[in-house]
Amino acid sequence: MGRVVVEVMPKPEILDPQGKAVVGALPRLGFTQFSGVRQGKRFELEVDGEVTPEILAAAREAAATLLSNPVIEDVVSVVDAAAVPGEATGTPVSA
Amino acid sequence: MGRVVVEVMPKPEILDPQGKAVVGALPRLGFTQFSGVRQGKRFELEVDGEVTPEILAAAREAAATLLSNPVIEDVVSVVDAAAVPGEATGTPVSA
């Protein structure tokens, strides 16, 4: 079973209230290393067979039309999960 | 200026209503290739200097404590954006 990962972020010129909330909370928890935070979305689209170039093209179209709002968001990546090291298994990162 | 990308997804056993909404909408728009969708979050944490191993460790801790809810979510990746091809510039993918 294949998986396509789509990543969407708010455009740089768009205010990102969720990111602002996170950047305000970080120093209160002792994380003073970070000067800015943007929060976007990550989708995993599952397909029954292999991720073919046609599937990737459909995912790119879906990303541009349904998964993102092109007025306020950019699609930053549409990739076959199997092509990204560490993404294939979806193994959680331990803290 | 460095950037750390943190990706968080709902745990597989947790119901994901946003993903369910997307998977229901896809066939209505003509995308019949996809059998399942999960929706998670993607954060970009900006740092003023380089992304050092210490910064990455802090980002991992922030990911586990502030950016995700460990009861219902997994942190799937915490990486230096410069180490991921195509992530460094944040160039939008054209549809």
PDB file of all heavy atoms in Angstrom, chain B residues 38-79:
ATOM      1  N   ARG B  38      -5.205  10.868   6.288  1.00  0.00           N
ATOM      2  CA  ARG B  38      -5.003  11.308   7.667  1.00  0.00           C
ATOM      3  C   ARG B  38      -4.487  12.730   7.606  1.00  0.00           C
ATOM      4  O   ARG B  38      -3.653  13.071   6.765  1.00  0.00           O
ATOM      5  CB  ARG B  38      -3.970  10.448   8.401  1.00  0.00           C
ATOM      6  CG  ARG B  38      -4.228   8.964   8.362  1.00  0.00           C
ATOM      7  CD  ARG B  38      -5.278   8.481   9.305  1.00  0.00           C
ATOM      8  NE  ARG B  38      -4.871   8.522  10.702  1.00  0.00           N
ATOM      9  CZ  ARG B  38      -5.719   8.331  11.717  1.00  0.00           C
ATOM     10  NH1 ARG B  38      -7.003   8.111  11.479  1.00  0.00           N
ATOM     11  NH2 ARG B  38      -5.310   8.360  12.955  1.00  0.00           N
ATOM     12  N   GLN B  39      -4.983  13.584   8.502  1.00  0.00           N
ATOM     13  CA  GLN B  39      -4.500  14.962   8.520  1.00  0.00           C
ATOM     14  C   GLN B  39      -3.765  15.247   9.819  1.00  0.00           C
ATOM     15  O   GLN B  39      -4.282  15.005  10.909  1.00  0.00           O
ATOM     16  CB  GLN B  39      -5.671  15.942   8.359  1.00  0.00           C
ATOM     17  CG  GLN B  39      -5.176  17.389   8.386  1.00  0.00           C
ATOM     18  CD  GLN B  39      -6.260  18.392   8.056  1.00  0.00           C
ATOM     19  OE1 GLN B  39      -7.299  18.060   7.506  1.00  0.00           O
ATOM     20  NE2 GLN B  39      -6.005  19.647   8.401  1.00  0.00           N
ATOM     21  N   GLY B  40      -2.562  15.779   9.672  1.00  0.00           N
ATOM     22  CA  GLY B  40      -1.773  16.143  10.841  1.00  0.00           C
ATOM     23  C   GLY B  40      -1.272  17.566  10.725  1.00  0.00           C
ATOM     24  O   GLY B  40      -1.813  18.367   9.963  1.00  0.00           O
ATOM     25  N   LYS B  41      -0.225  17.867  11.480  1.00  0.00           N
ATOM     26  CA  LYS B  41       0.280  19.232  11.536  1.00  0.00           C
ATOM     27  C   LYS B  41       1.750  19.286  11.131  1.00  0.00           C
ATOM     28  O   LYS B  41       2.492  18.322  11.286  1.00  0.00           O
ATOM     29  CB  LYS B  41       0.139  19.774  12.959  1.00  0.00           C
ATOM     30  CG  LYS B  41      -1.308  19.940  13.395  1.00  0.00           C
ATOM     31  CD  LYS B  41      -1.426  20.517  14.783  1.00  0.00           C
ATOM     32  CE  LYS B  41      -1.118  19.456  15.823  1.00  0.00           C
ATOM     33  NZ  LYS B  41      -1.411  19.930  17.199  1.00  0.00           N
ATOM     34  N   ARG B  42       2.130  20.436  10.592  1.00  0.00           N
ATOM     35  CA  ARG B  42       3.517  20.668  10.209  1.00  0.00           C
ATOM     36  C   ARG B  42       3.917  22.021  10.764  1.00  0.00           C
ATOM     37  O   ARG B  42       3.250  23.027  10.525  1.00  0.00           O
ATOM     38  CB  ARG B  42       3.632  20.678   8.684  1.00  0.00           C
ATOM     39  CG  ARG B  42       5.043  20.899   8.164  1.00  0.00           C
ATOM     40  CD  ARG B  42       5.024  20.821   6.652  1.00  0.00           C
ATOM     41  NE  ARG B  42       6.364  20.841   6.086  1.00  0.00           N
ATOM     42  CZ  ARG B  42       7.077  21.938   5.889  1.00  0.00           C
ATOM     43  NH1 ARG B  42       6.609  23.109   6.233  1.00  0.00           N
ATOM     44  NH2 ARG B  42       8.282  21.868   5.345  1.00  0.00           N
ATOM     45  N   PHE B  43       4.986  22.045  11.550  1.00  0.00           N
ATOM     46  CA  PHE B  43       5.477  23.288  12.139  1.00  0.00           C
ATOM     47  C   PHE B  43       6.827  23.636  11.549  1.00  0.00           C
ATOM     48  O   PHE B  43       7.656  22.758  11.316  1.00  0.00           O
ATOM     49  CB  PHE B  43       5.658  23.131  13.658  1.00  0.00           C
ATOM     50  CG  PHE B  43       4.405  22.811  14.412  1.00  0.00           C
ATOM     51  CD1 PHE B  43       4.029  21.493  14.633  1.00  0.00           C
ATOM     52  CD2 PHE B  43       3.610  23.820  14.912  1.00  0.00           C
ATOM     53  CE1 PHE B  43       2.874  21.183  15.333  1.00  0.00           C
ATOM     54  CE2 PHE B  43       2.452  23.526  15.626  1.00  0.00           C
ATOM     55  CZ  PHE B  43       2.081  22.208  15.835  1.00  0.00           C
ATOM     56  N   GLU B  44       7.041  24.929  11.322  1.00  0.00           N
ATOM     57  CA  GLU B  44       8.378  25.412  10.980  1.00  0.00           C
ATOM     58  C   GLU B  44       8.844  26.297  12.130  1.00  0.00           C
ATOM     59  O   GLU B  44       8.223  27.323  12.416  1.00  0.00           O
ATOM     60  CB  GLU B  44       8.343  26.222   9.688  1.00  0.00           C
ATOM     61  CG  GLU B  44       8.010  25.381   8.466  1.00  0.00           C
ATOM     62  CD  GLU B  44       8.034  26.182   7.164  1.00  0.00           C
ATOM     63  OE1 GLU B  44       8.231  27.411   7.223  1.00  0.00           O
ATOM     64  OE2 GLU B  44       7.836  25.569   6.103  1.00  0.00           O
ATOM     65  N   LEU B  45       9.913  25.869  12.799  1.00  0.00           N
ATOM     66  CA  LEU B  45      10.483  26.643  13.904  1.00  0.00           C
ATOM     67  C   LEU B  45      11.712  27.367  13.378  1.00  0.00           C
ATOM     68  O   LEU B  45      12.652  26.725  12.888  1.00  0.00           O
ATOM     69  CB  LEU B  45      10.899  25.724  15.064  1.00  0.00           C
ATOM     70  CG  LEU B  45       9.860  24.712  15.573  1.00  0.00           C
ATOM     71  CD1 LEU B  45      10.462  23.883  16.714  1.00  0.00           C
ATOM     72  CD2 LEU B  45       8.605  25.406  16.039  1.00  0.00           C
ATOM     73  N   GLU B  46      11.715  28.689  13.480  1.00  0.00           N
ATOM     74  CA  GLU B  46      12.851  29.455  12.983  1.00  0.00           C
ATOM     75  C   GLU B  46      13.851  29.731  14.089  1.00  0.00           C
ATOM     76  O   GLU B  46      13.465  30.034  15.217  1.00  0.00           O
ATOM     77  CB  GLU B  46      12.366  30.793  12.415  1.00  0.00           C
ATOM     78  CG  GLU B  46      11.903  30.635  10.983  1.00  0.00           C
ATOM     79  CD  GLU B  46      11.275  31.893  10.422  1.00  0.00           C
ATOM     80  OE1 GLU B  46      11.502  32.973  10.973  1.00  0.00           O
ATOM     81  OE2 GLU B  46      10.534  31.749   9.438  1.00  0.00           O
ATOM     82  N   VAL B  47      15.131  29.630  13.740  1.00  0.00           N
ATOM     83  CA  VAL B  47      16.189  30.006  14.684  1.00  0.00           C
ATOM     84  C   VAL B  47      17.071  31.053  14.009  1.00  0.00           C
ATOM     85  O   VAL B  47      17.173  31.092  12.779  1.00  0.00           O
ATOM     86  CB  VAL B  47      17.035  28.786  15.135  1.00  0.00           C
ATOM     87  CG1 VAL B  47      16.203  27.837  15.961  1.00  0.00           C
ATOM     88  CG2 VAL B  47      17.625  28.057  13.948  1.00  0.00           C
ATOM     89  N   ASP B  48      17.703  31.909  14.848  1.00  0.00           N
ATOM     90  CA  ASP B  48      18.468  33.014  14.274  1.00  0.00           C
ATOM     91  C   ASP B  48      19.765  32.533  13.638  1.00  0.00           C
ATOM     92  O   ASP B  48      20.183  33.027  12.612  1.00  0.00           O
ATOM     93  CB  ASP B  48      18.739  34.077  15.340  1.00  0.00           C
ATOM     94  CG  ASP B  48      17.467  34.858  15.649  1.00  0.00           C
ATOM     95  OD1 ASP B  48      16.645  35.011  14.723  1.00  0.00           O
ATOM     96  OD2 ASP B  48      17.278  35.273  16.793  1.00  0.00           O
ATOM     97  N   GLY B  49      20.408  31.525  14.262  1.00  0.00           N
ATOM     98  CA  GLY B  49      21.676  31.061  13.710  1.00  0.00           C
ATOM     99  C   GLY B  49      21.515  29.749  12.964  1.00  0.00           C
ATOM    100  O   GLY B  49      20.544  29.526  12.273  1.00  0.00           O
ATOM    101  N   GLU B  50      22.527  28.911  13.111  1.00  0.00           N
ATOM    102  CA  GLU B  50      22.522  27.583  12.499  1.00  0.00           C
ATOM    103  C   GLU B  50      21.654  26.629  13.324  1.00  0.00           C
ATOM    104  O   GLU B  50      21.448  26.851  14.522  1.00  0.00           O
ATOM    105  CB  GLU B  50      23.953  27.018  12.519  1.00  0.00           C
ATOM    106  CG  GLU B  50      24.939  27.725  11.640  1.00  0.00           C
ATOM    107  CD  GLU B  50      25.156  26.951  10.356  1.00  0.00           C
ATOM    108  OE1 GLU B  50      25.491  25.769  10.441  1.00  0.00           O
ATOM    109  OE2 GLU B  50      24.975  27.549   9.283  1.00  0.00           O
ATOM    110  N   VAL B  51      21.189  25.570  12.678  1.00  0.00           N
ATOM    111  CA  VAL B  51      20.498  24.514  13.410  1.00  0.00           C
ATOM    112  C   VAL B  51      21.553  23.546  13.945  1.00  0.00           C
ATOM    113  O   VAL B  51      22.096  22.727  13.213  1.00  0.00           O
ATOM    114  CB  VAL B  51      19.485  23.783  12.511  1.00  0.00           C
ATOM    115  CG1 VAL B  51      18.841  22.627  13.268  1.00  0.00           C
ATOM    116  CG2 VAL B  51      18.422  24.745  12.025  1.00  0.00           C
ATOM    117  N   THR B  52      21.886  23.695  15.230  1.00  0.00           N
ATOM    118  CA  THR B  52      22.891  22.843  15.871  1.00  0.00           C
ATOM    119  C   THR B  52      22.208  21.597  16.444  1.00  0.00           C
ATOM    120  O   THR B  52      20.981  21.551  16.556  1.00  0.00           O
ATOM    121  CB  THR B  52      23.554  23.612  17.026  1.00  0.00           C
ATOM    122  OG1 THR B  52      22.532  23.946  17.972  1.00  0.00           O
ATOM    123  CG2 THR B  52      24.210  24.896  16.547  1.00  0.00           C
ATOM    124  N   PRO B  53      22.998  20.585  16.826  1.00  0.00           N
ATOM    125  CA  PRO B  53      22.391  19.418  17.479  1.00  0.00           C
ATOM    126  C   PRO B  53      21.610  19.804  18.746  1.00  0.00           C
ATOM    127  O   PRO B  53      20.583  19.185  19.064  1.00  0.00           O
ATOM    128  CB  PRO B  53      23.593  18.530  17.813  1.00  0.00           C
ATOM    129  CG  PRO B  53      24.614  18.895  16.782  1.00  0.00           C
ATOM    130  CD  PRO B  53      24.428  20.370  16.527  1.00  0.00           C
ATOM    131  N   GLU B  54      22.074  20.850  19.466  1.00  0.00           N
ATOM    132  CA  GLU B  54      21.364  21.287  20.679  1.00  0.00           C
ATOM    133  C   GLU B  54      19.987  21.853  20.309  1.00  0.00           C
ATOM    134  O   GLU B  54      19.004  21.616  21.013  1.00  0.00           O
ATOM    135  CB  GLU B  54      22.173  22.363  21.426  1.00  0.00           C
ATOM    136  CG  GLU B  54      23.473  21.874  22.058  1.00  0.00           C
ATOM    137  CD  GLU B  54      24.569  21.590  21.040  1.00  0.00           C
ATOM    138  OE1 GLU B  54      24.627  22.295  19.998  1.00  0.00           O
ATOM    139  OE2 GLU B  54      25.355  20.638  21.260  1.00  0.00           O
ATOM    140  N   ILE B  55      19.943  22.638  19.232  1.00  0.00           N
ATOM    141  CA  ILE B  55      18.675  23.206  18.768  1.00  0.00           C
ATOM    142  C   ILE B  55      17.716  22.081  18.380  1.00  0.00           C
ATOM    143  O   ILE B  55      16.532  22.095  18.724  1.00  0.00           O
ATOM    144  CB  ILE B  55      18.910  24.139  17.546  1.00  0.00           C
ATOM    145  CG1 ILE B  55      19.764  25.346  17.935  1.00  0.00           C
ATOM    146  CG2 ILE B  55      17.593  24.548  16.897  1.00  0.00           C
ATOM    147  CD1 ILE B  55      19.001  26.533  18.456  1.00  0.00           C
ATOM    148  N   LEU B  56      18.257  21.082  17.665  1.00  0.00           N
ATOM    149  CA  LEU B  56      17.420  19.955  17.253  1.00  0.00           C
ATOM    150  C   LEU B  56      16.879  19.196  18.461  1.00  0.00           C
ATOM    151  O   LEU B  56      15.717  18.781  18.476  1.00  0.00           O
ATOM    152  CB  LEU B  56      18.218  18.994  16.369  1.00  0.00           C
ATOM    153  CG  LEU B  56      18.083  19.161  14.856  1.00  0.00           C
ATOM    154  CD1 LEU B  56      18.835  18.057  14.147  1.00  0.00           C
ATOM    155  CD2 LEU B  56      16.617  19.141  14.413  1.00  0.00           C
ATOM    156  N   ALA B  57      17.730  19.052  19.509  1.00  0.00           N
ATOM    157  CA  ALA B  57      17.286  18.365  20.724  1.00  0.00           C
ATOM    158  C   ALA B  57      16.176  19.165  21.397  1.00  0.00           C
ATOM    159  O   ALA B  57      15.180  18.598  21.866  1.00  0.00           O
ATOM    160  CB  ALA B  57      18.465  18.160  21.664  1.00  0.00           C
ATOM    161  N   ALA B  58      16.333  20.499  21.437  1.00  0.00           N
ATOM    162  CA  ALA B  58      15.298  21.349  22.032  1.00  0.00           C
ATOM    163  C   ALA B  58      14.011  21.252  21.214  1.00  0.00           C
ATOM    164  O   ALA B  58      12.907  21.195  21.776  1.00  0.00           O
ATOM    165  CB  ALA B  58      15.787  22.798  22.095  1.00  0.00           C
ATOM    166  N   ALA B  59      14.145  21.227  19.887  1.00  0.00           N
ATOM    167  CA  ALA B  59      12.967  21.124  19.023  1.00  0.00           C
ATOM    168  C   ALA B  59      12.259  19.796  19.260  1.00  0.00           C
ATOM    169  O   ALA B  59      11.025  19.727  19.276  1.00  0.00           O
ATOM    170  CB  ALA B  59      13.374  21.253  17.557  1.00  0.00           C
ATOM    171  N   ARG B  60      13.050  18.725  19.453  1.00  0.00           N
ATOM    172  CA  ARG B  60      12.457  17.410  19.718  1.00  0.00           C
ATOM    173  C   ARG B  60      11.668  17.427  21.031  1.00  0.00           C
ATOM    174  O   ARG B  60      10.585  16.859  21.118  1.00  0.00           O
ATOM    175  CB  ARG B  60      13.566  16.351  19.777  1.00  0.00           C
ATOM    176  CG  ARG B  60      13.428  15.306  18.702  1.00  0.00           C
ATOM    177  CD  ARG B  60      14.549  14.296  18.730  1.00  0.00           C
ATOM    178  NE  ARG B  60      15.335  14.427  17.527  1.00  0.00           N
ATOM    179  CZ  ARG B  60      16.626  14.708  17.463  1.00  0.00           C
ATOM    180  NH1 ARG B  60      17.314  14.907  18.571  1.00  0.00           N
ATOM    181  NH2 ARG B  60      17.233  14.812  16.315  1.00  0.00           N
ATOM    182  N   GLU B  61      12.252  18.116  22.045  1.00  0.00           N
ATOM    183  CA  GLU B  61      11.562  18.186  23.336  1.00  0.00           C
ATOM    184  C   GLU B  61      10.292  19.036  23.200  1.00  0.00           C
ATOM    185  O   GLU B  61       9.234  18.674  23.736  1.00  0.00           O
ATOM    186  CB  GLU B  61      12.510  18.788  24.376  1.00  0.00           C
ATOM    187  CG  GLU B  61      12.196  18.343  25.785  1.00  0.00           C
ATOM    188  CD  GLU B  61      13.046  19.096  26.808  1.00  0.00           C
ATOM    189  OE1 GLU B  61      14.254  19.303  26.537  1.00  0.00           O
ATOM    190  OE2 GLU B  61      12.485  19.505  27.848  1.00  0.00           O
ATOM    191  N   ALA B  62      10.396  20.166  22.489  1.00  0.00           N
ATOM    192  CA  ALA B  62       9.221  21.019  22.285  1.00  0.00           C
ATOM    193  C   ALA B  62       8.144  20.260  21.503  1.00  0.00           C
ATOM    194  O   ALA B  62       6.946  20.371  21.798  1.00  0.00           O
ATOM    195  CB  ALA B  62       9.613  22.299  21.542  1.00  0.00           C
ATOM    196  N   ALA B  63       8.576  19.453  20.526  1.00  0.00           N
ATOM    197  CA  ALA B  63       7.629  18.679  19.729  1.00  0.00           C
ATOM    198  C   ALA B  63       6.862  17.698  20.604  1.00  0.00           C
ATOM    199  O   ALA B  63       5.654  17.505  20.450  1.00  0.00           O
ATOM    200  CB  ALA B  63       8.359  17.924  18.619  1.00  0.00           C
ATOM    201  N   ALA B  64       7.578  17.087  21.554  1.00  0.00           N
ATOM    202  CA  ALA B  64       6.951  16.068  22.396  1.00  0.00           C
ATOM    203  C   ALA B  64       6.075  16.678  23.479  1.00  0.00           C
ATOM    204  O   ALA B  64       5.151  16.020  23.978  1.00  0.00           O
ATOM    205  CB  ALA B  64       8.032  15.190  23.024  1.00  0.00           C
ATOM    206  N   THR B  65       6.332  17.937  23.855  1.00  0.00           N
ATOM    207  CA  THR B  65       5.615  18.501  25.001  1.00  0.00           C
ATOM    208  C   THR B  65       4.580  19.552  24.602  1.00  0.00           C
ATOM    209  O   THR B  65       3.491  19.584  25.149  1.00  0.00           O
ATOM    210  CB  THR B  65       6.604  19.146  25.998  1.00  0.00           C
ATOM    211  OG1 THR B  65       7.432  20.072  25.303  1.00  0.00           O
ATOM    212  CG2 THR B  65       7.475  18.096  26.661  1.00  0.00           C
ATOM    213  N   LEU B  66       4.940  20.414  23.654  1.00  0.00           N
ATOM    214  CA  LEU B  66       4.035  21.527  23.317  1.00  0.00           C
ATOM    215  C   LEU B  66       3.337  21.320  21.975  1.00  0.00           C
ATOM    216  O   LEU B  66       2.163  21.627  21.830  1.00  0.00           O
ATOM    217  CB  LEU B  66       4.829  22.843  23.298  1.00  0.00           C
ATOM    218  CG  LEU B  66       4.046  24.083  22.855  1.00  0.00           C
ATOM    219  CD1 LEU B  66       2.987  24.447  23.879  1.00  0.00           C
ATOM    220  CD2 LEU B  66       4.980  25.267  22.624  1.00  0.00           C
ATOM    221  N   LEU B  67       4.084  20.809  20.986  1.00  0.00           N
ATOM    222  CA  LEU B  67       3.550  20.769  19.624  1.00  0.00           C
ATOM    223  C   LEU B  67       2.678  19.548  19.368  1.00  0.00           C
ATOM    224  O   LEU B  67       1.948  19.499  18.386  1.00  0.00           O
ATOM    225  CB  LEU B  67       4.692  20.827  18.606  1.00  0.00           C
ATOM    226  CG  LEU B  67       5.652  22.015  18.758  1.00  0.00           C
ATOM    227  CD1 LEU B  67       6.745  21.956  17.705  1.00  0.00           C
ATOM    228  CD2 LEU B  67       4.904  23.332  18.666  1.00  0.00           C
ATOM    229  N   SER B  68       2.773  18.544  20.228  1.00  0.00           N
ATOM    230  CA  SER B  68       1.924  17.367  20.052  1.00  0.00           C
ATOM    231  C   SER B  68       1.302  16.993  21.383  1.00  0.00           C
ATOM    232  O   SER B  68       1.821  17.322  22.441  1.00  0.00           O
ATOM    233  CB  SER B  68       2.740  16.191  19.512  1.00  0.00           C
ATOM    234  OG  SER B  68       3.592  15.681  20.531  1.00  0.00           O
ATOM    235  N   ASN B  69       0.184  16.312  21.297  1.00  0.00           N
ATOM    236  CA  ASN B  69      -0.446  15.723  22.472  1.00  0.00           C
ATOM    237  C   ASN B  69      -0.118  14.237  22.433  1.00  0.00           C
ATOM    238  O   ASN B  69      -0.678  13.507  21.606  1.00  0.00           O
ATOM    239  CB  ASN B  69      -1.955  15.955  22.414  1.00  0.00           C
ATOM    240  CG  ASN B  69      -2.672  15.258  23.559  1.00  0.00           C
ATOM    241  OD1 ASN B  69      -2.104  14.414  24.246  1.00  0.00           O
ATOM    242  ND2 ASN B  69      -3.918  15.622  23.758  1.00  0.00           N
ATOM    243  N   PRO B  70       0.801  13.775  23.299  1.00  0.00           N
ATOM    244  CA  PRO B  70       1.287  12.393  23.177  1.00  0.00           C
ATOM    245  C   PRO B  70       0.219  11.325  23.397  1.00  0.00           C
ATOM    246  O   PRO B  70       0.433  10.174  23.054  1.00  0.00           O
ATOM    247  CB  PRO B  70       2.397  12.295  24.235  1.00  0.00           C
ATOM    248  CG  PRO B  70       2.208  13.472  25.128  1.00  0.00           C
ATOM    249  CD  PRO B  70       1.473  14.526  24.365  1.00  0.00           C
ATOM    250  N   VAL B  71      -0.925  11.699  23.935  1.00  0.00           N
ATOM    251  CA  VAL B  71      -2.007  10.724  24.113  1.00  0.00           C
ATOM    252  C   VAL B  71      -2.629  10.356  22.763  1.00  0.00           C
ATOM    253  O   VAL B  71      -2.979   9.203  22.525  1.00  0.00           O
ATOM    254  CB  VAL B  71      -3.091  11.282  25.066  1.00  0.00           C
ATOM    255  CG1 VAL B  71      -4.260  10.313  25.195  1.00  0.00           C
ATOM    256  CG2 VAL B  71      -2.500  11.577  26.435  1.00  0.00           C
ATOM    257  N   ILE B  72      -2.732  11.339  21.880  1.00  0.00           N
ATOM    258  CA  ILE B  72      -3.440  11.091  20.621  1.00  0.00           C
ATOM    259  C   ILE B  72      -2.588  11.308  19.372  1.00  0.00           C
ATOM    260  O   ILE B  72      -3.024  11.032  18.268  1.00  0.00           O
ATOM    261  CB  ILE B  72      -4.707  11.985  20.509  1.00  0.00           C
ATOM    262  CG1 ILE B  72      -4.348  13.476  20.602  1.00  0.00           C
ATOM    263  CG2 ILE B  72      -5.723  11.632  21.576  1.00  0.00           C
ATOM    264  CD1 ILE B  72      -5.494  14.405  20.213  1.00  0.00           C
ATOM    265  N   GLU B  73      -1.360  11.832  19.543  1.00  0.00           N
ATOM    266  CA  GLU B  73      -0.546  12.168  18.369  1.00  0.00           C
ATOM    267  C   GLU B  73       0.868  11.600  18.469  1.00  0.00           C
ATOM    268  O   GLU B  73       1.403  11.426  19.571  1.00  0.00           O
ATOM    269  CB  GLU B  73      -0.458  13.696  18.215  1.00  0.00           C
ATOM    270  CG  GLU B  73      -1.778  14.349  17.834  1.00  0.00           C
ATOM    271  CD  GLU B  73      -1.730  15.870  17.909  1.00  0.00           C
ATOM    272  OE1 GLU B  73      -1.041  16.411  18.807  1.00  0.00           O
ATOM    273  OE2 GLU B  73      -2.381  16.524  17.086  1.00  0.00           O
ATOM    274  N   ASP B  74       1.444  11.334  17.306  1.00  0.00           N
ATOM    275  CA  ASP B  74       2.847  10.933  17.204  1.00  0.00           C
ATOM    276  C   ASP B  74       3.632  12.033  16.517  1.00  0.00           C
ATOM    277  O   ASP B  74       3.159  12.611  15.532  1.00  0.00           O
ATOM    278  CB  ASP B  74       2.981   9.671  16.334  1.00  0.00           C
ATOM    279  CG  ASP B  74       2.535   8.410  17.036  1.00  0.00           C
ATOM    280  OD1 ASP B  74       2.713   8.320  18.268  1.00  0.00           O
ATOM    281  OD2 ASP B  74       2.014   7.512  16.357  1.00  0.00           O
ATOM    282  N   VAL B  75       4.835  12.304  17.012  1.00  0.00           N
ATOM    283  CA  VAL B  75       5.766  13.177  16.300  1.00  0.00           C
ATOM    284  C   VAL B  75       6.456  12.305  15.263  1.00  0.00           C
ATOM    285  O   VAL B  75       7.186  11.389  15.618  1.00  0.00           O
ATOM    286  CB  VAL B  75       6.798  13.807  17.260  1.00  0.00           C
ATOM    287  CG1 VAL B  75       7.778  14.666  16.486  1.00  0.00           C
ATOM    288  CG2 VAL B  75       6.099  14.620  18.338  1.00  0.00           C
ATOM    289  N   VAL B  76       6.193  12.532  13.974  1.00  0.00           N
ATOM    290  CA  VAL B  76       6.756  11.650  12.959  1.00  0.00           C
ATOM    291  C   VAL B  76       8.118  12.107  12.456  1.00  0.00           C
ATOM    292  O   VAL B  76       8.914  11.303  11.988  1.00  0.00           O
ATOM    293  CB  VAL B  76       5.798  11.396  11.758  1.00  0.00           C
ATOM    294  CG1 VAL B  76       4.603  10.592  12.198  1.00  0.00           C
ATOM    295  CG2 VAL B  76       5.362  12.671  11.113  1.00  0.00           C
ATOM    296  N   SER B  77       8.412  13.418  12.541  1.00  0.00           N
ATOM    297  CA  SER B  77       9.770  13.829  12.195  1.00  0.00           C
ATOM    298  C   SER B  77      10.116  15.195  12.759  1.00  0.00           C
ATOM    299  O   SER B  77       9.252  16.061  12.904  1.00  0.00           O
ATOM    300  CB  SER B  77      10.005  13.789  10.684  1.00  0.00           C
ATOM    301  OG  SER B  77       9.508  14.949  10.064  1.00  0.00           O
ATOM    302  N   VAL B  78      11.385  15.343  13.107  1.00  0.00           N
ATOM    303  CA  VAL B  78      11.959  16.612  13.570  1.00  0.00           C
ATOM    304  C   VAL B  78      13.280  16.750  12.838  1.00  0.00           C
ATOM    305  O   VAL B  78      14.232  16.027  13.142  1.00  0.00           O
ATOM    306  CB  VAL B  78      12.203  16.619  15.097  1.00  0.00           C
ATOM    307  CG1 VAL B  78      12.831  17.943  15.525  1.00  0.00           C
ATOM    308  CG2 VAL B  78      10.923  16.365  15.874  1.00  0.00           C
ATOM    309  N   VAL B  79      13.333  17.607  11.817  1.00  0.00           N
ATOM    310  CA  VAL B  79      14.535  17.684  10.981  1.00  0.00           C
ATOM    311  C   VAL B  79      14.916  19.137  10.687  1.00  0.00           C
ATOM    312  O   VAL B  79      14.072  20.032  10.686  1.00  0.00           O
ATOM    313  CB  VAL B  79      14.335  16.967   9.622  1.00  0.00           C
ATOM    314  CG1 VAL B  79      14.204  15.465   9.810  1.00  0.00           C
ATOM    315  CG2 VAL B  79      13.144  17.521   8.869  1.00  0.00           C
TER     316      VAL B  79
END
